[in-house]
Amino acid sequence: MDLNDKLVYKKNFIWEKISDDDRKKVFELGDEYKKFIDSSKTERLSIKEIIKRAEACGFKDIRDLKEVKEGTKVYHVNREKSAVLAVIGKEKIENGMNIVGSHVDSPRLDLKQNPLYEEHGVSLLKTHYYGGIRKYQWVTIPLAIYGTVIKANGEKIEIAIGDEENDPVFCITDLLPHLAKEQSDKKLAEAFEGENLNVIIGSLPADGMHEEKNDKKFKLNVLRLLNEKYGMIEEDFQTAEFEIVPAGKSRDLGIDRGMILGYGHDDRVCAYTSLKAILEMDKPEVTSVALFADKEEVGSIGNTGMHSEFFNNMTAELIMLQNGSSYSDISLRRALANSRMLSSDVSAGVDPIYPNVSEMQNAAVMGKGVAMVKYTGSKGKSGANDASAEYIGKLRKLFNENEVMWQSAELGKVDQGGGGTIAYIMANLNMDVVDIGVPVLSMHAPFEIVSKTDVFMTYKAYKVFYDKCK
Ligand code: MN
Ligand code: MN
């Protein structure tokens, strides 16, 4: 390499640097990934899909194990919404783990607990949005409904409507331009109110009621249909979790099929790539761990979010299973403090239409590789996990020696906004953590965009990390 080439930092497009064989793998991985997200539209479905695939690769429920040793593949699911997979290494867990942690919840609309009403011949469902959405993006698009319902007798049922080919879909209306003067004059953030994100669920009155007045016959028709199909009554909404998500499958984007348009890349694209990497692990030197958290989009709170003790508890259990029932608090503390983590979350790619929100010298460009974000946060790095030069240096060496194309990135210009991930929570356990994941366009929109080459490189980064990071 010419010295001048070496002196200047340069990022390359993956497509131009990889072999024909790898180019083929880029498309194969893209196809596999699409199947994964199409069956993982909610956090519950993601965990279900992850565990299904893990079991097929020999992973066992931790509750069924009496011991773990080198090569043991184990999983633990927390309340159907978050999970941890581990492949036990040659070394003691106490000496640290290689952890890749993503989240499987995505921005969406949740139904309120008493959601159903009728107005002017239409039945609707009231919602409360989940995570940071731009509300105007969620109107006039086809929507699907996923629900988990606990009935009065304790029975649990799952409901999914809108993603099968012949399913009906649901929708939120918007004004016609002809009558939108007042709305159009408002600021974007105020023109669409959260309280107005109500989803149409029906429009026919219940039979045998049409002569009566004020009898809620439209609402009643919806309740009759829900009862017929699922045995539900209205009170069951109170003990249910319903999520409204964009209907339809992910699609190849562009005439060259280089990108994928789909719901929930944030952060199922990192969940998928880390899942694939850990499923391929056999007998690692260091225990490999893949973490799939819930509630990241709303602050990682609650018993399925990363602030929960879930991960620490699982680690304690693993230490006990590895040490033959002897367990001490110091082993857990050492295991956590000696660990290395990749907080595998998506990053903002440079939008070709809105490059002005990025500072180009430090922004992630689509197709130039997995994006490493030293710090997130906003306004003077506030709230950021600021990864150390030493840790990033270790990863840089690892990636450069193993042909992982990576780029450093930051989430937009200084003072343009900001964001956070689960990185700082894990860093609080005193382990080394850095954010690293796939660059995304239109993040948090109903349909987000990733580049297949970045997905491929992200998978490769996680795999190399599991295989070789020490
Ligand atoms: Mn995310
Ligand atoms: Mn997000």
Side-chain angles (χ1 to χ4, degrees):
M1 197 192 252
D2 181 62
L3 178 64
N4 287 334
D5 275 349
K6 217 170 174 177
L7 284 174
V8 179
Y9 173 60
K10 189 166 174 276
K11 305 193 283 192
N12 296 300
F13 285 107
I14 298 167
W15 192 251
E16 295 173 338
K17 294 284 173 187
I18 56 175
S19 64
D20 284 348
D21 197 39
D22 275 354
R23 285 183 171 191
K24 229 173 84 192
K25 284 187 198 153
V26 163
F27 285 118
E28 283 165 7
L29 187 68
D31 286 342
E32 282 176 41
Y33 168 57
K34 281 185 288 174
K35 281 188 206 135
F36 175 81
I37 40 170
D38 290 344
S39 48
S40 305
K41 285 261 180 113
T42 67
E43 68 283 19
R44 285 179 194 264
L45 289 171
S46 303
I47 295 300
K48 212 170 165 182
E49 186 66 29
I50 286 164
I51 298 305
K52 190 176 95 186
R53 289 169 185 237
E55 283 180 337
C57 290
F59 282 72
K60 300 266 186 290
D61 192 323
I62 192 167
R63 293 169 304 184
D64 298 332
L65 294 176
K66 298 267 180 298
E67 60 163 355
V68 300
K69 47 182 201 279
E70 185 190 343
T72 302
K73 298 175 177 185
V74 51
Y75 69 81
H76 191 22
V77 174
N78 184 12
R79 296 173 170 84
E80 300 185 3
K81 295 179 180 181
S82 65
V84 177
L85 267 55
V87 181
I88 308 302
K90 283 194 186 80
E91 283 202 31
K92 285 269 180 207
I93 293 167
E94 207 175 313
N95 294 339
M97 304 166 280
N98 285 341
I99 305 165
V100 182
S102 60
H103 65 93
V104 291
D105 60 316
S106 296
R108 59 177 191 254
L109 307 173
D110 285 345
L111 288 195
K112 292 194 186 195
Q113 290 324 109
N114 188 17
L116 184 60
Y117 73 104
E118 67 167 64
E119 201 79 72
H120 309 295
V122 180
S123 292
L124 301 107
L125 295 166
K126 291 174 183 283
T127 67
H128 193 137
Y129 60 97
Y130 174 98
I133 62 164
R134 308 191 75 194
K135 300 181 191 94
Y136 71 88
Q137 294 175 338
W138 291 73
V139 301
T140 71
I141 60 168
L143 299 166
I145 292 183
Y146 288 90
T148 300
V149 185
I150 309 299
K151 292 194 202 172
N153 63 4
E155 187 199 348
K156 180 174 177 175
I157 57 163
E158 304 288 342
I159 293 176
I161 314 169
D163 271 324
E164 291 301 323
E165 204 180 340
N166 293 316
D167 277 357
V169 293
F170 308 92
C171 194
I172 300 168
T173 58
D174 191 14
L175 282 173
L176 57 169
H178 321 63
L179 298 179
K181 187 184 176 311
E182 211 175 290
Q183 187 195 46
S184 302
D185 288 344
K186 287 183 185 168
K187 280 190 191 158
L188 189 58
E190 289 153 17
F192 297 83
E193 289 171 34
E195 205 59 69
N196 285 344
L197 294 177
N198 301 323
V199 182
I200 293 182
I201 185 170
S203 62
L204 297 176
D207 278 340
M209 309 280 298
H210 41 277
E211 298 306 325
E212 295 160 49
K213 280 179 190 163
N214 300 324
D215 53 10
K216 302 271 188 262
K217 56 195 170 194
F218 289 89
K219 172 174 164 173
L220 188 67
N221 195 44
V222 170
L223 288 170
R224 277 186 185 173
L225 288 166
L226 288 174
N227 188 262
E228 221 169 79
K229 190 143 188 227
Y230 306 105
M232 262 187 83
I233 59 171
E234 191 175 17
E235 196 180 81
D236 293 338
F237 279 112
Q238 307 278 340
T239 53
E241 288 174 336
F242 278 98
E243 301 182 10
I244 312 279
V245 299
K249 289 186 185 338
S250 54
R251 308 282 293 266
D252 285 343
L253 175 63
I255 197 166
D256 53 13
R257 297 179 181 268
M259 290 173 147
I260 299 172
L261 179 71
Y263 167 65
H265 288 318
D266 178 7
D267 183 33
R268 293 173 193 136
V269 69
C270 295
Y272 175 73
T273 41
S274 58
L275 173 68
K276 183 172 165 64
I278 199 166
L279 292 186
E280 290 168 359
M281 296 308 294
D282 200 17
K283 287 188 174 172
E285 193 67 26
V286 176
T287 294
S288 311
V289 175
L291 189 59
F292 306 96
D294 179 34
K295 295 286 184 284
E296 193 277 341
E297 295 295 354
V298 291
S300 298
I301 33 58
N303 52 18
T304 55
M306 214 53 244
H307 279 298
S308 144
E309 286 287 321
F310 171 65
F311 178 69
N312 300 10
N313 293 350
M314 159 100 176
T315 307
E317 298 277 3
L318 285 178
I319 292 169
M320 196 164 102
L321 288 170
Q322 192 181 47
N323 292 353
S325 297
S326 79
Y327 168 78
S328 77
D329 182 56
I330 193 68
S331 312
L332 173 63
R333 289 167 182 272
R334 284 178 183 152
L336 296 170
N338 288 330
S339 288
R340 293 150 297 266
M341 188 203 186
L342 303 183
S343 165
S344 55
D345 207 341
V346 298
S347 164
V350 175
D351 189 315
I353 303 177
Y354 303 101
N356 53 319
V357 301
S358 301
E359 186 269 284
M360 287 309 301
Q361 199 165 311
N362 288 283
V365 175
M366 301 299 286
K368 285 194 170 179
V370 60
M372 177 129 65
V373 183
K374 184 177 188 295
Y375 50 86
T376 54
S378 59
K379 299 197 169 155
K381 294 193 178 180
S382 179
N385 160 59
D386 205 350
S388 71
E390 289 84 348
Y391 184 47
I392 294 183
K394 179 186 284 192
L395 294 172
R396 169 195 179 187
K397 185 162 181 290
L398 184 71
F399 292 155
N400 288 354
E401 285 171 0
N402 291 280
E403 293 171 327
V404 172
M405 294 177 69
W406 63 280
Q407 51 182 329
S408 65
E410 82 181 349
L411 190 63
K413 277 181 181 165
V414 177
D415 291 339
Q416 184 70 44
T421 64
I422 62 170
Y424 74 96
I425 306 163
M426 300 302 282
N428 285 347
L429 300 172
N430 197 24
M431 63 180 72
D432 276 318
V433 186
V434 70
D435 281 299
I436 178 164
V438 178
V440 169
L441 295 179
S442 310
M443 197 193 293
H444 286 202
F447 293 96
E448 303 172 312
I449 296 166
V450 292
S451 159
K452 288 182 185 176
T453 54
D454 292 327
V455 177
F456 172 73
M457 214 37 92
T458 301
Y459 151 72
K460 209 170 154 184
Y462 298 161
K463 183 91 168 81
V464 164
F465 174 74
Y466 280 144
D467 269 333
K468 298 188 174 166
C469 195
K470 263 195 93 172

